[in-house]
Amino acid sequence: MIPRDLKIALFSFTLMLFAGLTNRAVAVDETEEVEPKRYALLVAVTKYQHTEMNKPALEFPEVDAKAVGEFLEAFGYEVEYLLGPKATKLAIEKKLDGLADKGNDEGTVVLGFWGHGVEFEGTDESMFCPYDSKIRTVVDSKGKKLFGKGGELMIEPDQATLVGMSDVLQGLRLSGAGNRLLLADCCRNSPNRARGRAFGSKTKLTDLPDNTAALFACSESEQAFEDETWGHGAFTKCLLDLLPQLTEDDGDDVNSITGKLKRNVAGLVKERSQGRETQTVNPIFKGTPELQLKIGIVVYVGQDTDIDKVYSVETEFTYTVVLQTQESREQTYTVGNETRFRTVIVNVPHTETRATTLQAGLTIRQQFAQRNPAPRVVRGSPGASLAGDEAPPAAPTAP
């Protein structure tokens, strides 16, 4: 016979266990949609610590990184920068290790590199030159020092002080993102032009994590150009011109703009150099990653609103449309020790709240699916970086 006190204890434990299981079931039922997590790490060095790395001087790497970052931030990306003196080897490697905590299966992680990038003889490894890159004397396979045409000792960045492409790709692989993008606008006038090769030209499809796009600014034996007339590197300028298309088209996978990107960069460099130089963008795709940039109608509803519920009567509610306008902005950049100014035209997304009527007999998802192109219906509210101080759109009131 079970003592009365033990019966009470067992009964109480059973109630607690049942309540716990019930709460878990309710929590699962409420998880209808996961918000994509979007993150970008943008690394750029315009002026290096070692004087030999600044011959000739670069002008626009950090300008380019900021321009790409501003564009992504407008669409709710969390953007982190490592610019100039902050872009050390240690800092970059620490951020790459931290990618394991960034992104989710529905989201996107973007890595961007601007500055010098090199590849070395006898290896397929591409290397990015951080701010604190060191220089070494070039030697052949037997350890003999090599000299240039003018009789000077040849120099190159010290590989031990650089960041390897394998580390960059491993960082992407560690991230939780279902969509991954690598941008590399490097190899801008290699410190040792005679040995300079395109950063990333040896990267193979098998090197990439699943659903990853890698866009390298130039191909083997080429260099990435920049010009004051453009206010950017050729690759980044053309990329910024084309990114808005990913917000307007039915799909926003990066593959859709690479053809135009290659043609535009090649044409821009050919025109500026009067046909003397070439620059061929080198894209590598493994899957169809999306940047998740949508200009068009995006419907935001409250966390507790069922977007698949059929409403029996017409219901008034609001939604948010993301629009794009062009604005002129004053930008500063540095050439050597001189600060210069220029006016640039940028595409700026913003939100506008509108009202509509949900037809009787339809769900919220069904009504907006009838539009061409069909918008996404998102539970929650617009990100602060996109919606500013606007109040979140009101959810439909159940009849």
Side-chain angles (χ1 to χ4, degrees), residues 35-39 77 101-104 106-109 177 292:
E35 184 70 17
K37 293 182 180 179
R38 290 162 289 188
Y39 171 81
Y77 271 76
D101 299 323
K102 301 298 182 182
N104 58 1
E106 296 78 11
T108 303
V109 164
Q292 310 210 5

Side-chain angles (χ1 to χ4, degrees), residues 176-197:
N179 303 276
R180 305 174 177 104
L181 175 62
L182 171 62
L183 304 173
D185 193 355
C186 305
C187 198
R188 301 187 184 197
N189 291 325
S190 170
N192 183 8
R193 184 172 183 132
R195 294 170 61 87
R197 292 190 292 173

Side-chain angles (χ1 to χ4, degrees), residues 362-381:
L362 292 179
T363 67
I364 294 174
R365 193 194 302 274
Q366 288 172 340
Q367 175 154 325
F368 282 90
Q370 296 175 351
R371 306 200 180 192
N372 188 20
R376 287 190 304 161
V377 181
V378 179
R379 287 161 51 86
S381 59

